Amino acid sequence: MDFDPELLDILRNARHIAAFTGAGVSAESGIPTFRDAQTGLWAKYRAEDLATPEAFRRDPVTVWNWYAWRRDLMRAVRPNPGHLAIAAMERLVGRVTVITQNVDGLHVQAGSSEVIELHGNIWHNRCTDCATSVPESELSADTPPVCPHCKGKIRPGVVWFGEALPTQAWTRAAEVLETADVFFCIGTSSLVEPAASLPRYARSCGRTVIQINPELTSHDEIAQYVLRGKAGEVLPALLKAAWPQVG
Ligand code: BV8
Ligand code: ZN
């Protein structure tokens, strides 16, 4: 895989890299993306129809079982070379901030030390009534589990469609765009707002935007560099090309 020498220079001279990621970065770990059709007994549902507070209010059992199915899938997988390459950048560049839309926790598992989870984390659980967070190990056997404090229904600690993003996560992500030299946009269809506005904002702040995706997306035209391919293949090759001594 050949890369523009100017791009390799930009990476070598970067002091702070932001890596904005979507479901595509976890695809090679075996987690279907949101664009992928749902499979098995979930084939008749659309993710957007299940990942909402209304769906949970209307049918908490089905929504909880969908998350339990996704957790089982995610428990069985590991970070892939794409996650590991992003984590490895921390040994090559002063600061690397991961801003992820994913809820699978794989960037932290891969060793990234600064991860902003814009859409929460599927491993977190909280009470819909008193907001108490409940560790997975203390969940009651009910479906959905009930809160140990107020008997309210427990929900996954993710951001559903129609819900605001966590203020602190959003504020931190916006601050990173002020300081990062390079803004990677990896494995996202850039359809879900407000996260999808980050690459455009990064470009307007004068950042170098690098898109990594096997398919064309609406963000291709705002990226100075478009690397057409899979994250698990492009990222390791890019690191090797920019820092050959790392090998
Ligand atoms: C908000 C957590 C306001 C849950 C997620 C109409 C009605 C209602 C709302 C809206 C509306 N129109 C717009 C909205 C806003 C809405 C939205 O954007 N909807 C979309 C569908 C149009 N957004 C919201 O509701 C957000 N909140 O706006 O709140 C507000 C403000 C104040 C007060 C109250 C309210 C909340 C959005 C967060 C939703 N939660 N996840 C869960 O996981 O269950 S979003 C979920 O979908 C993911 O987290 C992710 O963000 C998104 C999917 O996007 P991607 O990650 O990009 O994945 P996708 O499958 O789309 O694409 C994969 C890409 O990877 C592809 O491009 C593919 O080519 C590429 N790829 C594949 N393989 C690889 C690869 N790339 C690299 N390597 C590979 N190997
Ligand atoms: Zn409670």
Side-chain angles (χ1 to χ4, degrees):
M1 214 175 273
D2 292 330
F3 299 100
D4 181 329
E6 196 184 280
L7 168 61
L8 300 180
D9 266 347
I10 289 170
L11 290 176
R12 280 191 285 266
N13 296 317
R15 284 163 300 108
H16 182 187
I17 289 181
F20 174 60
T21 68
V25 81
S26 295
E28 289 154 273
S29 293
I31 299 178
T33 71
F34 272 71
R35 287 320 101 205
D36 291 337
Q38 296 254 79
T39 56
L41 63 147
W42 302 105
K44 60 179 181 289
Y45 296 95
R46 283 185 340 136
E48 291 90 297
D49 299 333
L50 289 170
T52 71
E54 297 74 28
F56 188 72
R57 253 194 302 282
R58 192 178 53 246
D59 185 353
V61 171
T62 298
V63 173
W64 181 267
N65 284 335
W66 180 54
Y67 280 91
W69 174 73
R70 288 173 63 197
R71 278 181 174 141
D72 288 347
L73 207 66
M74 292 175 182
R75 218 187 305 278
V77 303
R78 291 283 163 270
N80 67 62
H83 296 109
L84 297 170
I86 293 168
M89 274 184 211
E90 293 188 17
R91 296 189 289 277
L92 302 160
V93 173
R95 183 180 167 198
V96 177
T97 308
V98 177
I99 303 170
T100 190
Q101 301 173 84
N102 301 336
V103 298
D104 55 35
L106 286 178
H107 282 298
V108 170
Q109 257 192 61
S112 287
S113 59
E114 190 184 354
V115 181
I116 300 171
E117 294 179 318
L118 292 180
H119 294 157
N121 185 306
I122 200 166
W123 303 110
H124 297 167
N125 307 283
R126 73 167 185 276
C127 174
T128 40
D129 294 338
C130 70
T132 302
S133 85
V134 181
E136 179 106 359
S137 56
E138 292 171 28
L139 289 175
S140 72
D142 312 84
T143 304
V146 295
C147 173
H149 296 278
C150 76
K151 298 288 172 239
K153 289 187 184 69
I154 298 293
R155 58 165 284 178
V158 298
V159 178
W160 278 332
F161 288 100
E163 292 185 324
L165 272 57
T167 315
Q168 202 212 12
W170 185 250
T171 312
R172 278 180 63 203
E175 280 161 6
V176 164
L177 298 193
E178 316 290 332
T179 62
D181 313 291
V182 172
F183 187 90
F184 277 96
C185 185
I186 307 168
T188 178
S189 59
S190 300
L191 294 173
V192 174
E193 294 297 350
S197 61
L198 290 175
R200 199 175 304 284
Y201 181 51
R203 183 63 195 268
S204 68
C205 293
R207 313 277 84 92
T208 299
V209 178
I210 306 163
Q211 163 97 307
I212 299 179
N213 197 315
E215 289 169 22
L216 191 85
T217 81
S218 61
H219 280 49
D220 281 35
E221 85 253 1
I222 55 164
Q224 288 98 330
Y225 297 92
V226 175
L227 307 178
R228 186 68 66 226
K230 295 182 173 183
E233 293 163 9
V234 172
L235 280 164
L238 186 62
L239 258 65
K240 203 153 176 301
W243 293 280
Q245 74 282 11
V246 171

